[in-house]
Amino acid sequence: MNELKSSIPGLVYLPTREYSKSSDGFLEGRKQVDGAENLWRINNRLYNLDEFINNHPGGAQWISLTKGTDITELFETHHLSNKAENMLPKFYVRDAKTPRSIPMTFNENGFYKTFKKRSYEALKNINYHYPSFKTNLIADTVMIMTILFCLVSAATQSMITSTIAGVLMTWTTIIGHNYLHMRDNYRMYYLDISLMSSRDWRITHVMSHHMYPNTIWDIEMYGYEPLFQYLPRKKSIIRYLGIFYSPIFWFLSFYLVGIKRYISVFFVNKKIEFGDLVPFIIPIIMCFYSQNIQTAFKIWITIIGISSFVFMFIGFNAAHHHPKIFHDGDICRDDLDWGLLELDAVRDRNVIDDYYFLVVTNFGSHGLHHLLPTIDHAYLPLCLPALQKTCEEFNINNDKFTQIELIKGQFAQLRRTHPEKNMR
């Protein structure tokens, strides 16, 4: 095996990285290196949460999926108060036998813990465990508009309405992503209408990308290798070809994800969950408004392709890829505070972050969202003073990029082969 060494000291190589780019492959790799012994590891202690699975306020899935892994980062970032921490002793089994496979730290006086304490003070007087009415209203309205324009497209066979439906489906999918970070709720299934899986995204996006952005543990990067090579490594012709076939991939992405998803459902896992049925709700309804089933299916497939292109265009250019943003292989900070890694691997955007509708439909307020992933975007502005104050204390730059800069930077990053000292 040709292991890719991380430039972050102490971040071990995931053994499944080379041969499995799936969500379950990521979890399997974690089980092999985390030293959790089929329990749940937090820092250097092992806990048995079997009896707590069905009582977890955030939902059973978070606990059941992570059995046998180190959940330190998830635990720290998904609980603002110390209530969960105070419950841990009754689930304690023993100390871990091996060092952690992740070197990131959560020191009490470090950047992230300092920011988190201040954020809790800013949020403690609101019910931040649930989304706001404003966000729910936008989410439900966009979802309803998506369905309506899909039905109009089925009835009229208009390319214009199909394009609008595709854009609306993209927005619905992105909004659904916001909800899957939270405790179990029906709106997280809005993401599934695109053929993507909310269950898999909780692994690949929340447990992998959000916890370890732009590192060799980020499946949202290595999952696209060798087609897209964002890490600053050796030169190869495919690095440059990625610039040209990106638009084709963006258009095909949802189709490829859907095929992979249902091969897994029917032939690998052989288990159908509620989220697996969600993508077919819209095309079934469309059949009643179209001339025939074939026409409805053709229009639905077209809408999926348009939505895929728009979603990937937004996602690939949202926050993470630019030559001035940290990617594994770049020179790493001496301070391995988890929050500093998050900010080094993210840049916010001008304009996008200034309008709430654009925030929730275009992966806005990205830095705050990475630091406080379970908090509704409507509440994140309350934590902005805490972020600014903490950044000042730790000498962290909070400059934003424009959307054009990130689009250009994403393609420039594909060409970059030399390491930089990309710190805020």
Side-chain angles (χ1 to χ4, degrees), residues 92-372:
Y92 172 77
V93 178
R94 59 181 174 273
D95 284 0
K97 299 176 182 178
T98 59
R100 285 210 331 128
S101 53
I102 310 107
M104 312 318 296
T105 61
F106 292 90
N107 296 326
E108 284 300 321
N109 296 319
F111 175 87
Y112 185 70
K113 284 272 196 169
T114 301
F115 164 72
K116 188 168 83 164
K117 292 172 188 173
R118 290 171 175 164
S119 295
Y120 175 69
E121 288 299 313
L123 295 169
K124 67 180 182 180
N125 293 323
I126 63 172
N127 191 359
Y128 61 84
H129 293 102
Y130 294 91
S132 66
F133 173 79
K134 178 169 70 172
T135 305
N136 290 341
L137 180 62
I138 292 175
D140 295 341
T141 300
V142 175
M143 179 61 176
I144 292 170
M145 292 296 291
T146 299
I147 296 173
L148 289 177
F149 270 89
C150 284
L151 298 184
V152 172
S153 299
T156 64
Q157 301 181 44
S158 166
M159 192 61 195
I160 294 176
T161 55
S162 295
T163 300
I164 296 173
V167 173
L168 288 166
M169 181 177 286
T170 296
W171 290 344
T172 304
T173 303
I174 295 174
I175 293 172
H177 136 266
N178 298 331
Y179 285 93
L180 67 83
H181 281 279
M182 306 175 189
R183 60 180 63 202
D184 288 352
N185 62 90
Y186 73 85
R187 290 184 179 93
M188 70 184 190
Y189 294 112
Y190 287 1
L191 180 136
D192 289 89
I193 67 169
S194 63
L195 291 180
M196 291 195 297
S197 166
S198 53
R199 181 260 186 194
D200 287 352
W201 254 58
R202 276 191 162 176
I203 301 170
T204 61
H205 186 73
V206 181
M207 300 178 189
S208 173
H209 167 71
H210 257 260
M211 299 299 106
Y212 319 103
N214 288 9
T215 72
I216 61 171
W217 278 31
D218 184 353
I219 197 172
E220 290 194 359
M221 283 207 312
Y222 76 73
Y224 295 118
E225 295 173 352
L227 289 176
F228 299 99
Q229 299 180 18
Y230 287 104
L231 299 184
R233 308 291 177 173
K234 64 182 181 179
K235 292 182 179 180
S236 67
I237 186 63
I238 202 165
R239 297 188 74 98
Y240 300 94
L241 290 176
I243 298 171
F244 300 101
Y245 57 65
S246 290
I248 299 173
F249 176 80
W250 295 344
F251 178 76
L252 296 175
S253 184
F254 281 2
Y255 301 139
L256 298 174
V257 168
I259 292 170
K260 182 179 179 181
R261 175 180 187 174
Y262 289 103
I263 287 177
S264 177
V265 167
F266 293 114
F267 300 104
V268 180
N269 298 328
K270 296 181 179 179
K271 180 182 178 182
I272 299 177
E273 299 179 353
F274 174 74
D276 298 320
L277 302 176
V278 171
F280 303 106
I281 294 175
I282 289 179
I284 289 174
I285 300 174
M286 288 173 65
C287 290
F288 294 98
Y289 291 84
S290 182
Q291 295 178 353
N292 50 60
I293 295 177
Q294 291 82 359
T295 300
F297 180 77
K298 178 181 177 181
I299 294 171
W300 175 64
I301 287 295
T302 300
I303 292 171
I304 290 290
I306 294 169
S307 181
S308 178
F309 182 89
V310 178
F311 180 90
M312 290 298 167
F313 174 79
I314 293 174
F316 272 85
N317 300 287
H320 295 286
H321 300 309
H322 189 284
K324 293 183 179 180
I325 295 176
F326 175 83
H327 290 73
D328 207 328
D330 286 331
I331 300 167
C332 182
R333 286 180 182 271
D334 293 329
D335 186 349
L336 296 180
D337 184 276
W338 179 86
L340 294 178
L341 168 67
E342 296 295 307
L343 292 185
D344 285 344
V346 171
R347 289 298 186 278
D348 288 319
R349 290 167 287 175
N350 290 311
V351 181
I352 296 292
D353 292 346
D354 297 331
Y355 300 94
Y356 190 65
F357 182 81
L358 294 179
V359 167
V360 295
T361 57
N362 286 264
F363 296 112
S365 296
H366 219 91
L368 276 169
H369 175 55
H370 262 257
L371 294 171
L372 301 170

